[in-house]
Amino acid sequence: MTDADLMKSVLDQLQDGIMAIDERENIFYINDAACKILEVEKDKITNQNVVENVPNTRLHIVLRTGEAEYDKLQNLGNKVILTSRIPIKNEKNETIAVAAVFRDITTIQKLAEEITNLRELEALLTSIIDSTSDAISVADQEGRVFMVNRAYTKITGLTPREVMGKPATIDLAEGESLHIRCAREKKPIYNVRKRLATNKKEVIASVTPLFVKSEFKGSVAVIHDISEIQRLINELEATKRMLKKEKATYDFSDLVANSKAMKDVIAQANKVSEVDVDLLLVGEFGVGKEVLAQAIHNASKRKENPYLKLNFALIPKERQEDYLFGKNSYLVEANSGTLFLENIDLMDIEVQQKLLSFLKDKIFESDHHDFIPNVRLVFATTEDLKILVGLGKFSKELFYKISVVSILIPPLRERKDDIPELAHQLLHSLNQRYGRIVYGFTEDALEKLRNYSWPGNIRELENVIDRAMLAIDNSDPLVTSSHIPDLVEKSEEIKGTLKDMTEEFEKKIIIELLEVCHGNKTEVARKLGLTVRNLYYKLDRYGIK
């Protein structure tokens, strides 16, 4: 069973009906519960126009407006359903599909109209309302609660004993009770957003008055937990991502670019993707070089062909040539596609010369292959290759060959406008990983994230949010500043000069800065006021790898 099949199986187990349409207003997904409610066969309605097959639907309207509609009554002829219609949007905030989540409320509505004595039918009503996943509370003429269902306790955290006979304001954090308002106005109140006092959950509530022989006897409230809809949206989003290609999974819509610096990067990368040319990506550890490389590949003419990655930091120098030109050559495996070469500053000099021949003269020296691969190369490095050229550690000709088109990806500290959206994007991914429903961050939490310099960039941000998720209770809907671990800035200043220090202290300082700069020797040299050549001399002297 594939992941997509597993997800469909999960959705088919839900009691609620789920249906989704695409941009052409055609039904591309419907679960078993929805087929039962609509009295249709799945294989006959799939790929059919929703307007022509579902009475009184508004999914096509939500597709145009992009505005969600929650808890709306819809008449199907012989049935009445309570439905929520949710637009599904891409990273550009464009509506690409609409999902409907609904349930048959015909029985409950008929019973509510036929009740003549609430006390005599209390047992029956309790049984009925306990079958729904929405919270239901019933109040008398004075707005005092006398009945709640099991879902009410689950959603609000309040037991029947805690609310029976109490004013209906007991479960609200603020504002007037809808039961009391309904008792005063004697008319239905639909789709009001409220926040619960117990767990701060945001809910949507609707209240309907109860009349017996034209005499007002009380009201019924239906409280819908928005987290359920959010969970379904997350599942649909996860299914969409699972259907993406396995290798190059990111495209430009996945990249966060609210800052001007990142917008410039995306604009440059968009232009480059249209031209079949090799390019160089430069940026610190964890800034997202591979994500950008995948986006460029998926926007290019090679997107239907292979995308491979080769990281020279993970390959011994004596094996590098074999990976590029040997029996299992990555250049051959990526033929007609894209090969991402990471940490090319660690490439052996002899391998550099052989790669230069391939790029410059189309010479592919291999004992195992008799053709020249047609592959686009995307190079990446954290180092200043121009300085390495001056040190004789990188080929001057190769540098000029691969740096014709270069893109500098800014560190996270220079694009802090992107941090809130990046944090929410990472939170969404971690929700999927841990099976949690955490909606977002409080403002003080985001402020804490914005005030840190992030030497480890996006990877460090993901690590911090991951740790925050582990600190959150299952009932917490938001990440607060207390959940985020202390973010301590490591000192970047060293008092005195290295000449005045002992050799042991000098070695300790260099090792500490290598850790702070994530191995970026150019940055370490800058912070110490040394030339890169002098730094390499000290690294060799102290045996620092």
Side-chain angles (χ1 to χ4, degrees), residues 395-408:
S395 166
K396 181 177 181 180
E397 285 188 84
L398 181 60
F399 168 67
Y400 286 119
K401 182 66 179 174
I402 68 176
S403 62
V404 173
V405 179
S406 297
I407 298 178
L408 177 63

Side-chain angles (χ1 to χ4, degrees), residues 278-279 293 297 302 306-312 323-324 329-342 355 358 374-380:
D278 300 329
L279 66 144
H297 170 78
R302 297 176 180 264
Y307 170 91
L308 274 72
K309 168 189 172 182
L310 189 59
N311 188 346
F312 284 94
Y323 272 86
L324 287 175
S329 165
Y330 271 60
L331 289 168
V332 172
E333 293 293 328
N335 185 48
S336 300
T338 302
L339 177 57
F340 177 61
L341 298 178
E342 192 171 12
L355 182 60
F358 172 69
N374 171 22
V375 59
R376 181 184 198 175
L377 296 176
V378 179
F379 303 91

Side-chain angles (χ1 to χ4, degrees), residues 256-268 408 410 414-418:
V256 176
N258 296 317
S259 64
K260 183 182 184 304
M262 203 58 193
K263 286 178 180 178
D264 292 342
V265 167
I266 299 300
Q268 187 180 2
L408 177 63
E414 294 178 9
R415 43 178 296 211
K416 291 196 172 183
D417 288 346
D418 295 331

Side-chain angles (χ1 to χ4, degrees), residues 152-350:
Y152 179 90
T153 298
K154 182 178 179 181
I155 292 175
T156 67
L158 296 170
T159 64
R161 180 176 297 181
E162 291 175 307
V163 299
M164 291 298 191
K166 302 287 180 63
T169 53
I170 188 171
D171 54 11
L172 297 179
E174 57 188 16
E176 182 184 22
S177 164
L178 295 185
H179 278 299
I180 294 175
R181 178 180 163 190
C182 183
R184 183 177 67 250
E185 297 179 0
K186 307 294 191 298
K187 63 181 182 180
I189 303 167
Y190 296 118
N191 304 326
V192 178
R193 286 180 177 265
K194 291 285 187 178
R195 188 173 296 278
L196 299 178
T198 49
N199 50 27
K200 306 304 180 184
K201 280 186 178 180
E202 192 173 0
V203 297
I204 295 177
S206 298
V207 179
T208 304
L210 292 174
F211 290 96
V212 178
K213 295 181 180 179
S214 300
E215 184 180 352
F216 178 74
K217 291 293 184 178
S219 55
V220 178
V222 178
I223 304 171
H224 192 71
D225 186 357
I226 299 177
S227 63
E228 176 69 9
I229 294 176
Q230 186 64 45
R231 181 181 66 81
L232 293 172
I233 293 174
N234 288 344
E235 287 180 355
L236 289 172
E237 183 67 21
T239 302
K240 183 182 75 170
R241 287 188 176 276
M242 287 176 188
L243 296 175
K244 280 190 173 184
K245 292 179 289 182
E246 286 186 10
K247 294 179 181 177
T249 57
Y250 296 98
D251 52 41
F252 285 119
S253 67
D254 295 311
L255 302 179
V256 176
N258 296 317
S259 64
K260 183 182 184 304
M262 203 58 193
K263 286 178 180 178
D264 292 342
V265 167
I266 299 300
Q268 187 180 2
N270 256 311
K271 290 180 181 179
V272 170
S273 65
E274 300 171 359
V275 183
D276 201 22
V277 62
D278 300 329
L279 66 144
L280 174 65
L281 304 181
V282 182
E284 294 179 6
F285 171 87
V287 296
K289 295 185 287 295
E290 186 183 0
V291 173
L292 185 61
Q294 291 187 18
I296 291 171
H297 170 78
N298 281 330
S300 72
K301 296 177 181 178
R302 297 176 180 264
K303 63 183 178 181
E304 301 300 331
N305 298 316
Y307 170 91
L308 274 72
K309 168 189 172 182
L310 189 59
N311 188 346
F312 284 94
L314 306 178
I315 306 172
K317 287 195 174 182
E318 61 271 15
R319 296 286 312 281
Q320 290 180 3
E321 182 176 350
D322 187 53
Y323 272 86
L324 287 175
F325 301 96
K327 183 177 181 180
N328 298 314
S329 165
Y330 271 60
L331 289 168
V332 172
E333 293 293 328
N335 185 48
S336 300
T338 302
L339 177 57
F340 177 61
L341 298 178
E342 192 171 12
N343 293 307
I344 57 163
D345 49 282
L346 300 177
M347 189 187 297
D348 183 72
I349 288 292
E350 292 184 6

Side-chain angles (χ1 to χ4, degrees), residues 21-26 49-51 57-69 85-89 93-99:
I21 66 169
D22 59 22
E23 294 170 304
R24 297 173 296 174
E25 301 180 6
N26 291 337
N49 185 272
V50 68
V51 178
T57 183
R58 286 179 53 83
L59 291 181
H60 59 300
I61 297 174
V62 174
L63 184 65
R64 291 197 301 269
T65 65
E67 298 292 332
E69 297 180 354
R85 310 174 183 103
I86 309 105
I88 300 173
K89 302 185 179 184
N93 204 33
E94 299 169 337
T95 302
I96 58 174
V98 179

